[in-house]
């Protein structure tokens, strides 16, 4: 009982904590430890809890050296890990005994985040390398075989321009992604008129749509009060969703933006604005839907690339919506079209 009283507050610690006596018997385990290693009887020897040789070795050497020992250890089921394990010997004055405090910090999430970062770097490098190598290829050709060929020169310069523009777009998208991610947890607080914003984007993209024989219809069913937000970021949401709708819809169809209010929406406290961008295009097969907002994820990378896409548009959209404490819903049917719905708290 006295041990429980002495160490009971460790239940509030997020990391798993075990306390052993000098005989390596468990005198205390907090809640997190019980969740990881199962409930156990006090007084059992540590080897009855786990037989992990690295772990036992670490405990033994802390016991012998009376020094803090630390190591990364992966346990089997159900505890898993990897854990950053720290064994700290200490003399407890109140109880007049010598103990080992073992803390186990699950670093799986940290490692996953690191993995995601290096995947991202690999993706960026790949995306930048392909336009760069075609530009280098054209330079070679223009310096060598096509040196005196005026017709080829014109064509190659056009292609080089396209590739250079592609790199510029990629860098611009990367910068806006990192800007949104860096903007932190605070909700942006400028007053934004969503209806005016939608009209502005509609006008800006009208030309692009008509060029492809498409139109943009804006349907505003009621007047919507201003919301708290960042107008530049919200403009990017409209732009990206609308550009996709235009890009991936069938010729001679209309893309619609619908604006309305909702008294409640899933995951949002209080009323919300609903922004629906609908196209009548190829649609997206269900297995792709959950991954669509991942950076560089494309259903058809060849098609996306050939239309100048970077695969970052929806990742940017997702982060901006998160920043505004909103929600994104994607519905699509192959052969019919897609609807991207954004809910933003009013
Ligand atoms: N309205 C849509 N209809 C069908 N497929 C879509 C639609 N919107 C997005 N997609 C699919 O989702 C993928 C990711 O979209 P995202 O906007 O992130 O990238 P992108 O359009 O390829 O490039 P960009 O970064 O230039 O926008 C697209 O490559 C496309 O396959
Ligand atoms: Mg896009």
């Amino acid at each position: 009982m006295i041990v429980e009283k002495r160490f009971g507050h460790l239940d509030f610690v997020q990391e798993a904590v075990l306390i052993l006596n000098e005989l390596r018997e468990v005198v205390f385990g907090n809640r997190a430890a019980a969740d990881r290693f199962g409930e156990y009887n006090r007084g059992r020897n540590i080897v009855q809890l786990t037989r992990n040789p690295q772990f036992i070795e670490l405990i033994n050497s802390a016991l012998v050296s009376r020094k803090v020992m630390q190591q990364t250890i992966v346990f089997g089921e159900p505890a898993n890990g990897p854990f950053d394990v720290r064994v700290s010997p200490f003399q407890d004055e109140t109880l007049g005994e010598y103990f080992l405090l073992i803390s186990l910090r699950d670093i799986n999430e940290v490692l996953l985040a690191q993995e995601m970062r290096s995947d991202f770097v690999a993706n960026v490098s790949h995306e930048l390398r392909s336009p760069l190598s075609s530009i280098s290829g054209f330079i070679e050709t223009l310096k060598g075989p096509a040196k005196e060929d005026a017709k080829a020169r014109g064509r190659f310069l056009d292609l080089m321009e396209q590739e250079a523009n592609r790199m510029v777009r990629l860098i611009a998208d990367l910068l806006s992604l990192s800007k949104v991610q860096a903007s932190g947890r605070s909700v942006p607080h400028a007053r934004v008129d969503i209806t005016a914003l939608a009209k502005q984007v509609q006008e800006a993209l009208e030309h692009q749509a008509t060029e492809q024989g498409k139109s943009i219809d804006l349907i505003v069913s009621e007047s919507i009060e201003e919301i708290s937000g960042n107008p530049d970021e919200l403009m990017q949401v409209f732009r990206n969703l609308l550009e996709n709708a235009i890009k991936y819809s069938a010729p001679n169809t209309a893309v619609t933006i619908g604006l309305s209010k909702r008294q409640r929406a899933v995951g949002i406290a209080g009323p919300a604005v609903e922004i629906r961008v609908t196209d009548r295009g190829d649609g997206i097969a269900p297995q792709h839907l959950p991954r669509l907002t991942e950076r560089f994820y494309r259903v058809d990378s060849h098609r996306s690339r050939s239309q100048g896409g970077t695969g970052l548009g929806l990742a940017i959209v997702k982060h901006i919506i998160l920043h505004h404490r909103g929600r994104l819903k994607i519905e699509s049917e192959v052969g019919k079209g897609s609807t991207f719905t954004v809910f933003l708290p009013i």
Side-chain angles (χ1 to χ4, degrees):
M1 200 59 214
I2 184 146
V3 172
E4 292 296 329
K5 255 205 187 128
R6 184 91 184 108
F7 300 122
H9 56 279
L10 291 172
D11 269 342
F12 300 111
V13 176
Q14 204 184 355
E15 294 174 17
V17 178
L18 293 169
I19 295 179
L20 311 189
N21 62 15
E22 277 188 286
L23 300 171
R24 301 189 308 177
E25 288 162 349
V26 179
V27 298
F28 178 83
N30 71 351
R31 282 272 22 117
D35 290 345
R36 291 294 193 159
F37 295 92
E39 295 288 347
Y40 41 83
N41 302 320
R42 185 136 47 89
R44 270 168 62 178
N45 195 285
I46 189 70
V47 295
Q48 290 175 281
L49 231 73
T50 168
R51 295 197 161 274
N52 186 299
Q54 280 174 296
F55 187 51
I56 304 296
E57 179 61 36
L58 195 70
I59 292 170
N60 289 344
S61 51
L63 209 51
V64 172
S65 68
R66 312 236 143 173
K67 286 203 182 100
V68 177
M69 293 287 158
Q70 190 165 5
Q71 199 177 326
T72 303
I73 298 176
V74 182
F75 292 87
E77 294 282 343
N80 297 323
F83 289 93
D84 181 17
V85 181
R86 222 179 135 86
V87 185
S88 322
F90 68 100
Q91 174 76 34
D92 189 275
E93 300 302 338
T94 316
L95 298 176
E97 273 184 68
Y98 202 77
F99 294 104
L100 291 177
L101 183 139
I102 307 176
S103 64
L104 301 110
R105 190 164 68 96
D106 191 339
I107 52 172
N108 194 28
E109 272 178 27
V110 180
L111 293 180
L112 278 179
Q114 272 169 7
E115 204 174 295
M116 262 175 75
R117 255 198 304 277
S118 56
D119 279 357
F120 179 61
V121 172
N123 274 327
V124 171
S125 318
H126 174 75
E127 297 288 335
L128 281 172
R129 195 160 51 205
S130 17
L132 193 56
S133 50
S134 37
I135 292 174
S136 308
F138 290 129
I139 294 174
E140 287 290 303
T141 321
L142 285 173
K143 284 172 87 175
K147 208 170 181 173
E148 313 298 340
D149 183 344
K151 233 163 103 193
R153 190 161 48 216
R155 212 177 46 178
F156 287 164
L157 283 173
D158 284 346
L159 289 169
M160 288 166 77
E161 189 178 25
Q162 267 176 36
E163 297 295 331
N165 285 339
R166 172 176 185 70
M167 293 174 77
V168 169
R169 257 195 322 270
L170 179 62
I171 289 164
D173 277 355
L174 284 169
L175 284 177
S176 60
L177 190 59
S178 93
K179 213 167 111 194
V180 182
Q181 285 177 315
S183 59
R185 298 178 182 282
S186 62
V187 181
H189 52 260
R191 309 302 303 162
V192 185
D193 179 348
I194 287 289
T195 316
L197 211 63
K199 283 200 181 107
Q200 223 176 313
V201 181
Q202 179 195 20
E203 276 163 22
L205 295 179
E206 196 88 72
H207 177 68
Q208 192 176 323
T210 19
E211 259 185 349
Q212 302 180 29
K214 296 166 194 173
S215 62
I216 305 172
D217 298 340
L218 177 60
I219 303 165
V220 186
S221 57
E222 59 201 308
S223 93
I224 297 165
E225 54 265 50
E226 291 186 331
I227 66 161
S228 248
N230 176 325
D232 293 336
E233 290 186 1
L234 293 174
M235 178 80 109
Q236 278 192 65
V237 169
F238 274 112
R239 213 174 217 293
N240 275 312
L241 293 180
L242 218 53
E243 273 176 354
N244 280 349
I246 297 169
K247 196 157 48 165
Y248 301 108
S249 62
N252 304 314
T253 58
V255 167
T256 55
I257 318 173
L259 298 185
S260 54
K261 282 201 288 194
R262 284 276 166 274
Q263 275 325 302
R264 58 184 86 239
V266 178
I268 292 179
V273 202
E274 185 190 277
I275 304 161
R276 286 167 70 85
V277 178
T278 304
D279 66 69
R280 291 153 192 88
D282 301 342
I284 305 157
Q287 71 269 25
H288 297 293
L289 293 180
R291 299 198 55 191
L292 230 48
T293 57
E294 282 175 24
R295 298 176 293 197
F296 297 116
Y297 189 84
R298 297 145 164 141
V299 174
D300 177 346
S301 7
H302 183 74
R303 175 169 175 192
S304 158
R305 281 209 188 87
S306 68
Q307 295 188 319
T310 62
L312 289 174
L314 288 177
I316 295 173
V317 165
K318 181 184 76 180
H319 277 98
I320 294 175
I321 294 173
L322 279 177
H323 190 202
H324 285 79
R325 304 281 185 279
R327 288 282 177 279
L328 173 68
K329 190 168 89 183
I330 309 176
E331 295 155 301
S332 190
E333 203 177 322
V334 174
K336 291 219 164 132
S338 316
T339 298
F340 288 72
T341 311
V342 179
F343 298 97
L344 295 171
I346 294 183

